[in-house]
Structure formats: C-alpha cells, structure tokens
Amino acid sequence: MNASTPARGGGRSLDRLLPFLLLPVALIALGPVVRLLLEGVTGGDGFTTDHLTTVLTRPSTGTALLHSLITAGGGTLLSVLIGAAFAYLVALTDIRGKGALVFCLMVPMMIPPQITALAWMQMAGPSSTLLKLLGIAPPLGSPQPLHSPGGIILLLGIQHASLVFLTLRAGLRMIPADLVEAARMSGAGSFRVWMQTVLPLSMPSLIAGGAMAFVTALGNFGIPAMLGIPAGYATLPTLIYQRLVGMGPAVLPEVAVLALLIGAVAIIGVLFSRAVLSRRGFGLVGLSGNPLALTLGAARRPVEIGLWAFIFVILALPLLALLATSLIPAYGVPLTFANATLEAWKEVLFTQPVTRRAYGNSLMLATSAAAILLAISLPLAWLMERRSNRLSRILDALIDLPYALPGVVLSIACILTFLNLPFTDLTLYGTIWIILMAYLARFFVVMLRPIQASIAQLDPAMEEAAASVGAHLGRRLRDIVLPLAAPSAAAGAILVFLTAVNELTVSALLWSSGTETLGVVIYNLEDSGETIMASALAMSIVLLIIFLMGLVQAGANRFPKGVIPWQS
Amino acid sequence: MAELNFSNLSKKFDGVPALHEINAQIASGEFVALLGPSGCGKTTLLRLTAGFEHPSSGTIHLGGDKVAGDGHFVPPEERGVGIVFQSYALWPHKSVHANVAYPLEVRRVPRPEREARVAEALALTGLSAFANRMPSQLSGGQRQRVALARCLVFDPRAVLLDEPLANLDLALRASMHEVFSLFHRRTKATMLYVTHDQGEALALADRVAVMEAGKIRQFAAPEVLYREPVDCFVAGFVGDGAVVSAGITGQTRENRLVVNVFGQEVLSRSATTEPSHVCIRPESITLCNDAPIRARVLSCTYLGGRFRLTLDAAGETLVAFASQRAAIGETLGVKLNDLWAFRDPGAAVVMAKSLAHA
Ligand SMILES: Nc1ncnc2c1ncn2[C@@H]1O[C@H](COP(=O)(O)OP(=O)(O)OP(=O)(O)O)[C@@H](O)[C@H]1O
Ligand SMILES: [Mg+2]
C-alpha cells in the first residue's frame, strides 16, 4: 500500500500552469503584427486615414509597388516553369537518382538570397573571375547584366522554384496510380496521359505553389537589395530599407504603411493559395502504394542529362564563381594556380573584427533562437495537441503569420513594438535582443510544426500508461514525450538554426553597430566594394549550410513525414 | 489491493450518454470481467476508473477513498491503478527492463529493491531472458507480458485490462489466460478485465458484468449468468441456446413454476411468478421421438464427440446437442427440462388463459 502512493510532484499544478504558456507565446509571436496594424491605421496618434492616403499616393510608393509586382510576378513565372518541370519529371517518370536531384534543387532555397545574388554576380559581368578564367569576360566598363529587373527576376525564379516543386510534388502524390493506369490501359501514351489526366488533376497544386512562390518573392530583400539598389530599381522591401536607414525611426509611421501594403498583398497571395489547395479535393484518395512511373524510354538519358546540366548551371556554376572570387588576391585580377590565395578566408574567419563579431552574433542568435523555441515548442505542441482549446486553436491558425509575412513587415512591426518597451523607458532598438525577439516570432512555426507532427503521431496511451504508473505531467513530458519527439525536435532546431544563421531581411533593418549578423556583413562588404572578402565569407556560410542540411538528411528516416521541408 | 465502488456513475460525451447510472461494488482481490457488445461503454468505464476521464455525475471510490465525483478528482498518477492497454503502450525508447523499472523509478524506490522487484516481475511473466531487448524486438504475446509486468511491479491497488488479448491469435490467447490467472492468484489484485469475448469472460472472472448501451444489465458469477439470466439481452448474449416467450399459468408443481412454451406446459426454475420468457440452453433439450413438441432440423454440425443441431420449433430456433447425426429437414420430438424463466423488463406478460384449469 505504501508503494502504491506515488511520489507527489508538481504534476497537477503544472497542468494548471501550462495553459498560461499560450499567452506570452501569443504576445511574442503575434503582438508585433497587431502593433503594426494599429500603427498603420492610427499613424501613432488617433484614428485617421490622412496619413494612410499621404503615403499611398506618393509616386515613389506606386513605383516600388509596381516594381515589386513585376519582379515577383516574373520570378514566379520562372519558378513555376522550373519547379513544375522538375516535379513532373521526378514524381511521374522513371528517371534515376531522384534523391540527389531533389537535394540539389533544394539547396538554393536554403542558401540566403544575398549569397545567391553575390554568387551570380561573380558569374556574370566584366569582373567575373570565372569568366576571366575561361577568357570570355566582357570588356571592362560594360555593365553588370544582373543589375536589372531581368536579373532580379532570374534569381527570384531560381531561388523559389523549390517551393513550387514541393507543393506540386505533394499534390502529385495524391493522384491515385490507378487513374493513370486506367488512362494508359486505354492506349494513351506518356505525353497524352500527362496532358489529359495528370495536368488537370495537379493544376490546383501548381497554382498554390505559384502563389507561395509569389508571396515569398514579394518579401525577398536580399536579391533586389544586391541587384536593384545599384541600378536604382527599388521594390517595396528595398524602399522601406532605404527610407529607414536614411532617416531613422522618425519615418516609422510612414514605413509602417508601406509594410502594411506589402503585407496586404502577401496575405492575399497566402489566402488565395490556401483556397486553391483546399479545393484540391477531387475526392482523390492517394497513397495507393506504387508510385507513378511513366517510362521515358529512349528519352530518359537525355532528360537526365538535361536536369543535371540545369542543376549545374543554377547551383554549381555560381558557387564555383563565388569560390573563384574568394581565392583571388585582388579584385579584377584573373585567378591562376600561382596567385590563388586563402588570404581573404583567413581575413574574414580570423582577423577582421567585424566578420568575427558577425559570426559570433549570428551563431549566438541562431543558437539561442533554436534553444528557446525548442524549450517552448515542446510543451506548447503538447498543449495544442492534447489540451486543445479555443485560444490554442486561434494561435495555431495565426502562428504562420510572422513567417508568411515578408521579413521587412515583421521587422517594422518589431521596431514599433520594442522601440519603447510597454510600461517602461527601456528600448530594445539597437540591441541584439530586438533581433532575437524578431527571430523568435518569425521562426516559431519552423520549430513548432515538426514537433506537432511527431506528437500527433504519438499514441496517447503511451502517456496514459506513464500516468497510470504514477508519473506526473512533468515527468511524462520529460521521460516519454521528449525522447519520442526528439528526432523531430532536433530537425526543427537545425532548421531554425539554418534559417536564422543566414537571415538578412529581418536583421538588415534591426542591426546596429556591434550587432551585425552574417547576412548584414556580407551585404555591407559587397556594398563597400570588398567583394573578395564577401565571397569568402559567403562561401564559408554555404559550406556550413550544406553540412547542416546533410546532417538533417542523414537522420531523415527517423522523422515523421513532413518534418524535412525538402522531403515533403 | 482495494475494493472498487461505482455509484450512480454517468458519463456523457458532448451530451451523448456513454454510461448511465452505473452502480457496482467490486470486492478487494476480485477478478471482474466487463462483457458487452462494441460501443456499450466498457472502455469508458475503465478510463473513468483509471482517471483518464472525468465522470459527468456519480462517484468512484477506490479502497474507501473517493477518487472521482462531487467536485473531487484524483488524477491517474495518484490513484495507484495499473492499466494494460489493448495496444500495450510500451515505451518504444526504453528496453523491457527500463519499461518495467519505470514505475519504481517514478516512486523513487532505492536501486537494490528496484532491481529485485523488476527481476521478480520479469520472472513471474517469463520474461527474464528478454530484459535487455527493445519492445520492437518482441512478439505480440511477449509485449503483452511486458505490459503486465510493468503493471504488477508497483503493486497497484487495482489492475485494469482493456481487451488485452484482442491483438493475439487464438492459441496465444489460451496460454495468456493461464498467465492472467496465475497473475491474479499471485498478486491478489483487484482486477477489472474488459472483453467482448464471452468465453474469456466466463473462463477467467469471478464475476462478470454484462453491459449494454451504457448500463450494467447483470453482474453475477459466470454460472449464474448462464443459468439465470435476468433479461433477454443477457440470455441471448451469454451462452448458447434460445430465448422464447413464455405464457404464465399461475401454477407451481414440484417447487417449479409451470409455464406455457410452444403450447405445452413445462416446469421451469424462476425468480418471478410472472415470467415473460424462458431461456432454453442446449442441455435442457432431450430429443425423443414421442415428445409433443415437434421441431424440424435446420442444420447439423459435428463438434467432436457430439453434434450441434439447430431446430425450428413453431418459428423459434432452438439449439440442441445430439449423439447422432440428424438429417436436415427431419422432424424430431423435443423434451424440455430445467428451463429458466425470467421476466424481461421490456416485454408484456402473456397470460395463457386458454389452458385447462381456468
Ligand atoms: N472521447 C470520446 N468522445 C466522444 N465519444 C466517445 C469517446 N469515447 C467513447 N465515446 C463513445 O462512447 C460510447 C462507448 O464507447 P466505449 O469506447 O466505452 O465502448 P466499448 O464498450 O469499449 O467498445 P469496444 O468494444 O468497441 O471497444 C461509444 O458510443 C463511443 O462512441
Ligand atoms: Mg473499448
């Protein structure tokens, strides 16, 4: 009888306390967005629409909006072409080496946009080390072709092709194989099957993927900043950046309106994509076991060669160009075996205080964001799954917002919120903490969703068994839920780390001297003409990213479906 | 070990009743089976007892302490009730030994004692050789025994089992029956065993609670359920045989009630003087050619040693055992003896006025 009475712990009180976790989470994640909305409507003092109209009718606003729509629209078109071609070929045909192909297509998505831009700039233009190496560089003085709307569109298209790919492939997997088999039985060739059966059925996924690519392209800051600003071609995110950097917090009410404008366009895109996806239904019951495999026949080899050549051009070539630039002794000098030097690498990794500080800051921010989110998300995901209530369901629906909204929008929202900490004289603006807060809000879903997925898969009886043998809530979470959700949590933490460590958009607006992040420093180095050091720094980050992606990939079969973004 | 007491226990899910006014006392050390068709509320009663659900009304007492009801609720981890799930719910990241040791770790039992008790529990369930395996490396029967060991290791006040054998094949079930019986004899634990297999319930339990639609229809020893069902549902659900309506004659003979079945007067055991039905078990039927009740053979199956016949008598289907094969369509005489007459709460009583002595 004595042994039957379990040790009393804080079990019941924890059960009562845990729901209060929802409140700070909701505040951190959604508070800034709400604050921004208020600012846009009130302009800081009282409800008025004057302020809105002033900013919206200014010509620069219209031009930037137009530029944003053009580049995002063009980029989306390109993303759809690339993403769809890969998705159809990978999901439907019998080409070989699909895993490696998909991994390579996903790398551009994980590489920060400003590095992509930097790498491509090293591939084109008169100073391209790579072109000089091959002896086909255009003459000095000719313009950098990428410093143009076309260049922005090209890079946006490549950067976000993987979003279209992933959405479309997920949709294609829901098409029952017997539908296609039925079409083939009736004598249709591979191409006709695709045209008449697969294409119409997968159209909603394609459109939804396109909408997502559009929203992401719209919020992209790194590419238009690197390619557009030198050409005097401003999009909404770069306009906001230039205003805020030029004039300081005084223009906050004004940029808030711009942020709301771009946020509104983005939300329309998100809602559109959700609406299309939810009508995807068709009564399709997928997972019919054997995946589709249309035989390409004699065309298989040429198609494979074509796909790999494409990957080579969009991934390997720019990175090679970046690597080449990072090895030359002085900008404009051609690379030879004799003059190749690791001087710039040594400089950025060990000597320069700014780059070392940036590495420190970014690693610290990424690690803290990952650790804090890990600690919060585990109980939170458990709470949302097992003790779901209205508040938790609302939070679940809205938590995507800070991630789906363009980074500049969240940055402005954070500045507004933390410029004067409510009820105090303190400010977080200019400190590293404001960046951390913004990262916490922005990357919450990146951490939460994988953990949610694995807790949803957990048989509740597992926890009930622990409860019945006397383990109170705290111990159940620690001994049963944590170990079983650990692989997904680890994947989530690595993803947060990966995204945070090379983040530019948010920190570009929130940094100040001493709190630079890697993204900011690469941008600043390039901006001040230190292209070689920028390249070396960028290259070191790319290596770090590929290493981390490989780490996640290695544990792939231990995660529930949907945890790894490049493995939907 | 503790007695278990349900009084006026009800549970509704979103307003839909799953359990209605359950009243039952289970003595300390008793082995009780909950038997009933799917959806009748067996699992719900078990989960209320374990503390995974809150009752809508009524109370649960465990060993004299109120554990649920009247605004009082003891959470599962403080009830000291062991539970064995149909899915076993072993923790996949812990070895067999760690699974079994966990309840003691939670209780901060010192290591030497813990090791001794784990070893004892593993030995009792025949798992000593598997202590270092992971659950995924065990067969279904072995997993079930780990679940049982994990439950018995902390001397729970009551043990709840929810269809523990449903995932096992027939041969394994029989051997697990032995394990459960042994387990019960050794631990003297109060056990509540959910099943929808009546053979299992009747074979294992001291008493069986037959449930239907959220209510306990009858709660009695297996032989009582079989010989003296209280209503048509229990009579039909437990055991083989037939339930047919009976007319009252108002007479008794040789201390037995005289009832009218198929137009004939037969003697029957009964707890009431106004029965509505009789339960005719196969043992109550003797086949002989000169009996007044005539029945046509519908089917004949060999059971080994005897034949099981289904017979059609005046539109009712009876079940009888015979030592010889009978031809289908053949007409036999049926003699009834030692019937059980009862009054089904839902049925109207038929007064057989047509009979002579009126
Ligand atoms: N969590 C729940 N929410 C809503 N209804 C429930 C819930 N759990 C059980 N029910 C309902 O309560 C009734 C009793 O369910 P219960 O699981 O107790 O049946 P059971 O006797 O164990 O059946 P089975 O033999 O199929 O396991 C059913 O009608 C069921 O649909
Ligand atoms: Mg059940």
Side-chain angles (χ1 to χ4, degrees):
Chain A
M1 190 57 206
N2 55 338
S4 317
T5 323
R8 284 199 171 225
R12 264 192 282 177
S13 49
L14 182 60
D15 210 345
R16 271 199 293 270
L17 282 178
L18 217 46
F20 290 102
L21 186 63
L22 289 173
L23 220 59
V25 168
L27 272 183
I28 292 180
L30 301 174
V33 178
V34 174
R35 177 72 183 79
L36 173 66
L37 266 178
L38 290 178
E39 180 75 17
V41 178
T42 64
D45 35 35
F47 278 83
T48 140
T49 51
D50 296 357
H51 165 69
L52 257 172
T53 26
T54 332
V55 182
L56 290 184
T57 51
R58 201 176 289 159
S60 63
T61 310
T63 318
L65 178 63
L66 187 68
H67 288 173
S68 273
L69 292 177
I70 290 175
T71 50
T76 302
L77 216 59
L78 196 59
S79 294
V80 167
L81 284 178
I82 301 172
F86 269 82
Y88 285 125
L89 287 171
V90 167
L92 301 180
T93 71
D94 57 349
I95 56 165
R96 289 159 295 186
K98 290 178 181 177
L101 205 58
V102 171
F103 186 84
C104 290
L105 187 67
M106 292 305 124
V107 174
M109 178 173 81
M110 303 311 292
I111 290 181
Q114 72 278 15
I115 291 185
T116 311
L118 184 66
W120 278 79
M121 278 152 64
Q122 304 319 309
M123 203 167 79
S127 326
S128 163
T129 314
L130 193 72
L131 295 187
K132 281 195 180 145
L133 205 61
L134 302 172
I136 50 171
L140 276 179
S142 56
Q144 163 66 269
L146 291 174
H147 284 170
S148 65
I152 299 177
I153 289 176
L154 175 70
L155 294 203
L156 286 178
I158 290 169
Q159 182 96 22
H160 303 135
S162 42
L163 289 175
V164 179
F165 172 84
L166 290 173
T167 322
L168 182 56
R169 188 176 63 162
L172 286 174
R173 288 201 170 147
M174 287 169 60
I175 296 180
D178 41 11
L179 243 163
V180 175
E181 274 152 18
R184 308 196 67 194
M185 297 291 265
S186 54
S190 290
F191 185 73
R192 277 181 69 129
V193 170
W194 178 75
M195 269 300 282
Q196 297 180 343
T197 310
V198 176
L199 189 63
L201 285 177
S202 58
M203 200 40 106
S205 312
L206 190 59
I207 295 174
M212 270 186 238
F214 179 77
V215 170
T216 320
L218 199 65
N220 194 304
F221 170 74
I223 290 172
M226 297 281 267
L227 302 182
I229 291 179
Y233 188 87
T235 62
L236 277 177
T238 55
L239 179 69
I240 291 175
Y241 170 77
Q242 285 175 309
R243 279 279 152 77
L244 201 63
V245 168
M247 325 240 219
V251 290
L252 264 179
E254 183 195 322
V255 292
V257 174
L258 294 177
L260 279 176
L261 181 63
I262 186 174
V265 181
I267 284 184
I268 292 172
V270 170
L271 292 181
F272 176 72
S273 122
R274 278 197 192 171
V276 174
L277 272 183
S278 69
R279 285 200 297 122
R280 176 159 74 179
F282 272 112
L284 296 183
V285 185
L287 302 172
S288 43
N290 44 332
L292 297 169
L294 303 181
T295 37
L296 289 178
R300 181 160 84 169
R301 176 141 302 234
V303 167
E304 283 169 356
I305 292 174
L307 291 178
W308 281 109
F310 184 77
I311 291 283
F312 181 76
V313 171
I314 66 162
L315 184 66
L317 267 191
L319 291 182
L320 282 177
L322 192 65
L323 184 65
T325 303
S326 75
L327 296 178
I328 53 178
Y331 201 55
V333 176
L335 180 67
T336 62
F337 268 110
N339 71 1
T341 163
L342 282 176
E343 207 45 49
W345 285 74
K346 240 186 272 165
E347 189 80 356
V348 291
L349 292 182
F350 305 110
T351 318
Q352 281 284 330
V354 185
T355 50
R356 282 176 48 200
R357 199 162 61 220
Y359 246 109
N361 285 339
S362 277
L363 291 179
M364 190 285 274
L365 284 168
T367 316
S368 325
I372 295 173
L373 289 179
L374 182 65
I376 301 177
S377 293
L378 197 80
L380 189 73
W382 180 86
L383 203 64
M384 287 170 139
E385 186 62 33
R386 299 273 191 258
R387 302 283 151 86
S388 142
N389 59 29
R390 183 171 305 180
L391 181 59
S392 77
R393 278 190 296 271
I394 294 177
L395 190 63
D396 193 47
L398 294 182
I399 195 105
D400 282 312
L401 209 55
Y403 190 63
L405 281 176
V408 275
V409 179
L410 186 73
S411 312
I412 301 295
C414 280
I415 298 177
L416 283 169
T417 313
F418 300 117
L419 190 57
N420 291 309
L421 273 189
F423 315 115
T424 62
D425 289 335
L426 299 174
T427 176
L428 290 186
Y429 190 52
T431 69
I432 201 158
W433 307 116
I434 192 170
I435 305 183
L436 184 61
M437 292 303 255
Y439 281 7
L440 290 183
R442 189 158 174 80
F443 302 131
F444 218 116
V445 276
V446 179
M447 183 63 110
L448 189 65
R449 294 289 182 234
I451 300 186
Q452 262 181 328
S454 72
I455 291 188
Q457 282 192 343
L458 219 67
D459 182 0
M462 220 71 93
E463 288 162 60
E464 288 171 353
S468 77
V469 303
H472 57 73
L473 183 56
R475 285 209 69 151
R476 295 203 294 274
L477 285 178
R478 195 189 79 194
D479 297 343
I480 311 297
V481 181
L482 177 66
L484 293 176
S488 305
I494 294 182
L495 286 177
V496 168
F497 186 87
L498 210 60
T499 338
V501 87
N502 52 50
E503 194 285 332
L504 167 68
T505 320
V506 169
S507 46
L509 291 181
L510 299 180
W511 76 279
S512 59
S513 172
T515 69
E516 315 71 354
T517 63
L518 283 174
V520 170
V521 168
I522 291 180
Y523 178 73
N524 287 351
L525 280 176
E526 166 65 16
D527 203 32
S528 57
E530 300 282 3
T531 307
I532 304 175
M533 285 217 289
S535 300
L537 187 58
M539 204 58 216
S540 72
I541 296 171
V542 169
L543 293 179
L544 179 66
I545 290 167
I546 293 181
F547 170 72
L548 288 173
M549 278 179 79
L551 210 61
V552 178
Q553 183 71 36
N557 50 13
R558 301 190 55 195
F559 309 135
K561 253 182 125 42
V563 162
I564 306 180
W566 58 88
Q567 274 209 333
S568 67
Chain B
M1 282 120 279
E3 73 272 9
L4 194 54
N5 223 317
F6 306 115
S7 63
N8 293 324
L9 188 66
S10 297
K11 174 68 186 175
K12 290 182 177 164
F13 290 107
D14 307 319
V16 182
L19 280 183
H20 186 72
E21 304 267 313
I22 298 285
N23 284 291
Q25 274 101 47
I26 296 166
S28 179
E30 202 176 8
F31 191 140
V32 167
L34 292 178
L35 178 65
S38 184
C40 69
K42 307 178 296 288
T43 299
T44 307
L45 184 57
L46 216 63
R47 293 177 58 81
L48 280 166
T49 312
F52 302 136
E53 307 278 359
H54 293 245
S56 304
S57 65
T59 55
I60 304 172
H61 287 263
L62 180 64
D65 309 324
K66 187 190 292 173
V67 291
D70 299 337
H72 194 75
F73 186 79
V74 179
E77 59 267 28
E78 285 163 27
R79 289 194 186 185
V81 170
I83 182 160
V84 175
F85 293 86
Q86 181 177 339
S87 61
Y88 319 134
L90 300 182
W91 301 303
H93 58 296
K94 290 177 185 280
S95 68
V96 168
H97 181 277
N99 261 281
V100 177
Y102 188 69
L104 303 179
E105 278 169 34
V106 169
R107 287 177 169 67
R108 306 211 178 85
V109 173
R111 179 176 286 271
E113 185 191 339
R114 192 164 80 207
E115 290 303 322
R117 284 171 67 176
V118 170
E120 189 191 5
L122 290 178
L124 190 61
T125 45
L127 286 167
S128 304
F130 303 105
N132 295 319
R133 295 246 192 123
M134 296 309 276
S136 57
Q137 299 168 316
L138 297 178
S139 73
Q142 289 161 345
R143 288 180 202 185
Q144 187 57 268
R145 282 184 284 167
V146 177
L148 205 57
R150 182 174 73 183
C151 189
L152 78 95
V153 75
F154 70 99
D155 284 338
R157 306 161 81 189
V159 177
L160 313 176
L161 305 108
D162 193 356
E163 309 208 20
L165 303 183
N167 290 337
L168 302 183
D169 66 37
L170 279 176
L172 204 51
R173 280 189 205 187
S175 77
M176 285 304 290
H177 286 169
E178 313 244 307
V179 176
F180 285 133
S181 292
L182 179 76
F183 173 81
H184 183 238
R185 276 202 304 279
R186 289 276 190 92
T187 60
K188 297 281 189 305
T190 309
M191 285 173 71
L192 199 52
Y193 184 108
V194 166
T195 175
H196 55 234
D197 177 343
Q198 53 154 312
E200 203 167 285
L202 299 182
L204 287 171
D206 298 327
R207 283 197 296 157
V208 178
V210 181
M211 295 181 65
E212 196 227 2
K215 298 194 186 101
I216 294 187
R217 290 305 192 89
Q218 188 169 10
F219 188 14
E223 61 275 19
V224 176
L225 281 185
Y226 187 81
R227 284 177 57 83
E228 302 174 358
V230 295
D231 60 19
C232 290
F233 175 77
V234 178
F237 194 75
V238 178
D240 206 357
V243 180
V244 301
S245 60
I248 301 171
T249 62
Q251 303 171 11
T252 52
R253 204 181 296 154
E254 302 161 24
N255 274 336
R256 295 281 159 103
L257 198 65
V258 180
V259 291
N260 185 326
V261 181
F262 300 128
Q264 303 291 320
E265 290 191 355
V266 280
L267 294 184
S268 172
R269 294 172 287 114
S270 181
T272 165
T273 54
E274 295 201 330
S276 60
H277 291 82
V278 285
C279 171
I280 308 173
R281 299 290 182 202
E283 308 83 71
S284 314
I285 295 180
T286 324
L287 299 171
C288 55
N289 282 331
D290 52 351
I293 301 172
R294 309 302 296 177
R296 202 165 46 87
V297 178
L298 295 176
S299 72
C300 173
T301 24
Y302 187 55
L303 296 181
R306 60 183 178 175
F307 294 88
R308 181 181 185 271
L309 308 183
T310 56
L311 306 164
D312 176 69
E316 304 278 359
T317 305
L318 304 179
V319 178
F321 293 137
S323 53
Q324 286 148 16
R325 187 179 288 280
I328 290 175
E330 184 185 358
T331 305
L332 301 170
V334 169
K335 216 172 104 192
L336 302 174
N337 46 35
D338 196 32
L339 303 183
W340 169 252
F342 58 89
R343 186 185 157 102
D344 191 71
V349 176
V350 186
M351 241 328 169
K353 292 212 176 67
S354 61
L355 280 172
H357 306 280

